[in-house]
Amino acid sequence: MKTLFVLLTLCMLQISWCKIDQTWWKHTTIYEVFLPSFKDGNGDGMGDLKGLISKLDHFVDLGIETVYITPHYESPMVDSGYDITNFVAVNPVMGTMEDFEMLIKEMKIRGLKLIIDLIINHSSDEHPWFIKSVNKEHPYTDYFIWKDPKGYDTNGKPTVPNNWLNVFGGSAWEWNDKRKQFYYHQFTPKQPDFNLRNKLLKTEIKKIFKFWLDKGVAGFRLDAVKHLLEDAEFRDEPVSSPDIKVPIQYQDLRHIYTQNVWDSYQFLHELRVFIERVTRKFTDFERVLISEDYVEGELLTKYYGTEKYKIVHVPLNFNLAYIIRYENANYYHNVINDYLRILPEGGTPAWNAENHDKFRKAFILNEEFEFTFASMVLTLPGMAYLYYGQEIGVTGSKIRPDQEVNKFPDDFTKVSRDYFRHPMAWDDSLNGGFTNNEKAYLPLNSNYWRVNVKSRKSEDNAGYYHMFKKIVNLRNTDTLKYGDFKSFVISTWVFAYTRKLEGRESYVMIYNLGSETEFVDLNDSIDDLPEFMTIEVASPNSGYQVGEQLPTGQQIPKILILRPYMTLILSTRSSNA
């Protein structure tokens, strides 16, 4: 009888699992909220959970269904909360556990899902586990990576175990005088790396995942996954150039022993299996793992795993985020198609142009490119990942060194990441409606008086926000969810692609990526266009109107005049085709 009961229970669980929505994440639009900068709810000048709750209707209005928040855990905030002292507690600066539970409740009421940032590569050096590890208290002794000195120099000073470097430059090893050993840190010395070969530690980490799943999160964005495990033999890494005699900067080494080690993929697979087992009790939708990798090609596609050996659901793709200068149409054609070409069968693409570690396009290119990149992210096949403020065209701006909060340099530009972490401007009042405090923790964009949510929403239907919102809503169409993709180099600086699905409307996305007006005939490059197509979306700088019909067929004149840096989205809906 007991065996029969177990079998029936398993059958019921399997049926429930089959009924839940296992595809929502494949086409979702994820909106990143950099918590400290989104909305202050308690008046201390820094964004928090209460502030986020107060703005949930903004996502509903915009048509967003999934929100991702940066770390909300207890932390000394040395690295914006990516240095954690308690993985199952809320940072008092961000609110309380009751606030978090209220956030989940209010999001559920609005049909929104929450993805949280989870850092399993390291903790803060103030975490109780690390303090106990320093003291060699069981079972925490080997929760972190400790190594004896390789030797001692002529002054009796201990020398590092190997030549490994940390991301911000200098040795990845820090001497601890109390334990008389070095500990390993791929980021700052305040962020010691976990020893993810320790079985007890892995069990503790799985408990963290279960804790937040039970709270109601829809999934996790896993930070810095390429750093999770390192070479078990701690071998020196080769220099990146024969000219480098003493490696100092991170790029001086080829990171074959500290990045994308196969053991990292194996651990992620183990987590995937665990999470799928834990979440079989849910009957609404599948919980997901999204990885932040900053890798390309085969190294990226490995994170998908296979049908029989699943790793993460989606590794984020940063090819568009890497673009920091003007590139022509052929460049975009190749970047997008090269990525799509290497995806494994059934692998979901993911597009991301900006985030809390990458410059806003308006800052490094121009304001018009904010709309260009947002349109691409939202209309390419697969998952779309937005950064707060993209919907109003936030530009980012420089701040004085004495105003900086995050002192760590960006890998490519050596400037403060605070340039693209400005508080969100909700209106043109004092501090942009971000806080009631006299000062925000970071200064707002200098143009917040005109680039803010209220002013953008008050523009006519051809304005930036309304066009952005229209693209988000287009993602609900079957064509953009399931349709084929094909891209075209119309001219040196004009890039286009089509999204088509049998029995549904078709779309053509057109981008002038150059600084001069272009005159193009789409039929020179794109076959099977109808005689007319309807403008669904026109960037504010385009000079075109939504609803206007344009000649695109072969029988009549069809020259399009494309202003610099403009975007058009055409469709066969309401056309004469």
Side-chain angles (χ1 to χ4, degrees):
M1 182 62 72
K2 183 177 180 181
T3 302
L4 179 61
F5 175 77
V6 171
L7 288 173
L8 288 172
T9 301
L10 288 173
C11 287
M12 291 175 67
L13 285 172
Q14 186 63 38
I15 292 171
S16 296
W17 180 248
C18 290
K19 285 184 176 179
I20 73 169
D21 186 355
Q22 298 181 51
T23 62
W24 68 271
W25 48 272
K26 295 184 178 182
H27 314 289
T28 195
T29 305
I30 298 177
Y31 182 111
E32 177 185 346
V33 169
F34 186 69
L35 261 180
S37 296
F38 194 66
K39 173 62 177 167
D40 176 17
N42 64 7
D44 66 355
M46 180 176 284
D48 49 42
L49 294 174
K50 282 186 177 178
L52 173 58
I53 293 170
S54 73
K55 293 299 182 182
L56 290 181
D57 288 337
H58 175 62
F59 305 124
V60 177
D61 180 68
L62 190 55
I64 299 297
E65 63 272 6
T66 307
V67 177
Y68 146 63
I69 60 173
T70 52
H72 62 284
Y73 316 97
E74 279 189 4
S75 167
M77 299 293 285
V78 171
D79 185 15
S80 301
Y82 285 87
D83 48 318
I84 299 170
T85 53
N86 190 335
F87 287 83
V88 293
V90 173
N91 189 336
V93 174
M94 300 295 171
T96 65
M97 189 59 74
E98 289 73 23
D99 292 334
F100 185 88
E101 292 165 351
M102 181 59 69
L103 173 64
I104 293 287
K105 179 182 177 181
E106 292 296 324
M107 291 185 74
K108 188 173 182 180
I109 290 171
R110 292 165 173 81
L112 301 171
K113 297 180 177 69
L114 180 67
I115 289 176
I116 61 174
D117 220 337
L118 193 52
I119 303 89
I120 54 176
N121 177 72
H122 56 264
S123 74
S124 165
D125 65 344
E126 297 177 35
H127 195 294
W129 292 351
F130 185 73
I131 295 170
K132 292 177 180 180
S133 188
V134 169
N135 295 325
K136 294 188 177 181
E137 294 182 30
H138 182 77
Y140 307 101
T141 304
D142 296 319
Y143 270 29
F144 298 84
I145 299 172
W146 295 96
K147 291 289 289 183
D148 290 328
K150 188 175 185 179
Y152 294 86
D153 62 18
T154 54
N155 297 318
K157 184 179 178 180
T159 55
V160 294
N162 60 27
N163 72 343
W164 293 356
L165 301 172
N166 79 75
V167 170
F168 298 110
S171 176
W173 296 98
E174 186 78 5
W175 177 254
N176 183 273
D177 202 48
K178 186 169 187 179
R179 179 154 165 160
K180 302 300 181 185
Q181 283 185 306
F182 285 97
Y183 67 86
Y184 178 64
H185 59 92
Q186 294 218 40
F187 296 94
T188 75
K190 300 288 291 180
Q191 296 164 293
D193 272 44
F194 283 131
N195 175 17
L196 293 174
R197 301 183 191 279
N198 185 295
K199 292 182 179 179
L200 291 175
L201 172 62
K202 289 199 291 184
T203 298
E204 290 293 338
I205 287 175
K206 290 173 184 176
K207 288 179 182 177
I208 294 168
F209 279 91
K210 185 176 185 304
F211 177 87
W212 294 109
L213 287 168
D214 289 342
K215 289 290 181 185
V217 303
F220 305 88
R221 178 233 189 228
L222 302 180
D223 185 70
V225 296
K226 69 181 179 183
H227 299 285
L228 292 181
L229 282 97
E230 300 75 32
D231 176 48
E233 298 178 29
F234 295 92
R235 288 170 284 187
D236 278 350
E237 292 190 313
V239 293
S240 55
S241 167
D243 298 331
I244 297 172
K245 305 305 179 185
V246 180
I248 298 174
Q249 299 301 318
Y250 193 63
Q251 60 269 24
D252 291 346
L253 296 176
R254 291 197 297 117
H255 304 289
I256 61 174
Y257 297 132
T258 58
Q259 286 187 15
N260 305 299
V261 176
W262 176 244
D263 304 45
S264 296
Y265 297 98
Q266 289 178 313
F267 180 52
L268 290 170
H269 166 71
E270 189 178 331
L271 287 175
R272 172 78 178 264
V273 171
F274 171 77
I275 287 171
E276 288 190 351
R277 177 170 59 81
V278 168
T279 58
R280 284 186 182 274
K281 63 184 178 183
F282 299 120
T283 58
D284 46 5
F285 55 85
E286 185 176 12
R287 273 55 176 174
V288 300
L289 290 178
I290 300 170
S291 63
E292 182 241 30
D293 321 285
Y294 287 109
V295 293
E296 302 175 61
E298 182 185 354
L299 292 175
L300 177 68
T301 58
K302 277 186 180 180
Y303 283 101
Y304 287 96
T306 65
E307 186 61 34
K308 293 184 178 180
Y309 194 85
K310 298 176 181 178
I311 301 183
V312 300
H313 292 79
V314 185
L316 290 175
N317 158 44
F318 294 95
N319 285 338
L320 295 180
Y322 291 143
I323 297 175
I324 58 174
R325 53 186 168 267
Y326 296 98
E327 304 286 359
N328 63 27
N330 195 59
Y331 181 90
Y332 284 81
H333 174 81
N334 291 333
V335 162
I336 292 170
N337 284 284
D338 287 349
Y339 165 67
L340 292 174
R341 196 175 296 117
I342 64 172
L343 291 179
E345 185 176 354
T348 297
W351 305 96
N352 170 27
E354 298 179 355
N355 62 27
H356 61 271
D357 284 327
K358 294 297 175 188
F359 276 117
R360 296 187 183 274
K361 299 307 180 187
F363 184 86
I364 53 174
L365 298 173
N366 58 50
E367 288 192 36
E368 286 74 25
F369 262 101
E370 278 296 302
F371 197 89
T372 299
F373 277 86
S375 176
M376 287 186 186
V377 167
L378 289 166
T379 58
L380 289 166
M383 176 187 287
Y385 180 107
L386 301 173
Y387 188 41
Y388 80 100
Q390 276 188 276
E391 72 272 35
I392 59 173
V394 168
T395 57
S397 62
K398 294 181 180 180
I399 60 174
R400 300 192 311 266
D402 62 291
Q403 295 173 314
E404 292 179 11
V405 173
N406 187 342
K407 299 292 184 181
F408 303 133
D410 178 83
D411 294 343
F412 302 107
T413 59
K414 304 301 180 187
V415 298
S416 172
R417 289 181 288 184
D418 291 335
Y419 285 15
F420 35 92
R421 297 180 177 185
H422 290 273
M424 182 76 155
W426 295 96
D427 55 43
D428 61 358
S429 65
L430 181 66
N431 292 315
F434 166 74
T435 180
N436 291 326
N437 197 29
E438 183 181 348
K439 262 178 89 173
Y441 88 108
L442 269 178
L444 277 75
N445 287 298
S446 57
N447 61 359
Y448 81 86
W449 56 274
R450 66 176 177 85
V451 181
N452 60 73
V453 175
K454 184 178 179 180
S455 67
R456 288 299 202 193
K457 286 187 177 182
S458 66
E459 293 173 349
D460 61 33
N461 290 335
Y464 189 104
Y465 177 84
H466 298 289
M467 286 296 98
F468 189 101
K469 178 178 174 179
K470 193 167 180 59
I471 304 177
V472 174
N473 290 330
L474 284 178
R475 286 180 57 77
N476 294 321
T477 63
D478 287 345
T479 303
L480 288 195
K481 282 184 178 180
Y482 313 113
D484 293 335
F485 167 85
K486 188 174 182 180
S487 65
F488 306 88
V489 176
I490 306 297
S491 70
T492 302
W493 292 101
V494 177
F495 176 60
Y497 51 86
T498 57
R499 301 296 311 279
K500 294 183 178 182
L501 183 66
E502 185 71 29
R504 298 288 191 272
E505 74 278 4
S506 297
Y507 295 92
V508 180
M509 290 72 177
I510 308 163
Y511 305 96
N512 182 358
L513 305 167
S515 58
E516 297 176 323
T517 298
E518 295 274 345
F519 302 87
V520 301
D521 182 343
L522 295 181
N523 264 292
D524 289 344
S525 304
I526 307 176
D527 296 328
D528 302 322
L529 290 177
E531 288 303 317
F532 289 89
M533 295 189 76
T534 303
I535 297 178
E536 290 281 349
V537 173
S539 59
N541 65 325
S542 69
Y544 288 98
Q545 297 295 318
V546 170
E548 183 179 349
Q549 287 201 332
L550 296 181
T552 51
Q554 298 181 3
Q555 304 304 317
I556 54 180
K558 50 223 175 271
I559 299 299
L560 292 183
I561 302 173
L562 305 179
R563 290 178 178 176
Y565 310 124
M566 63 162 279
T567 297
L568 277 183
I569 298 179
L570 311 180
S571 84
T572 56
R573 294 200 293 186
S574 302
S575 74
N576 294 329

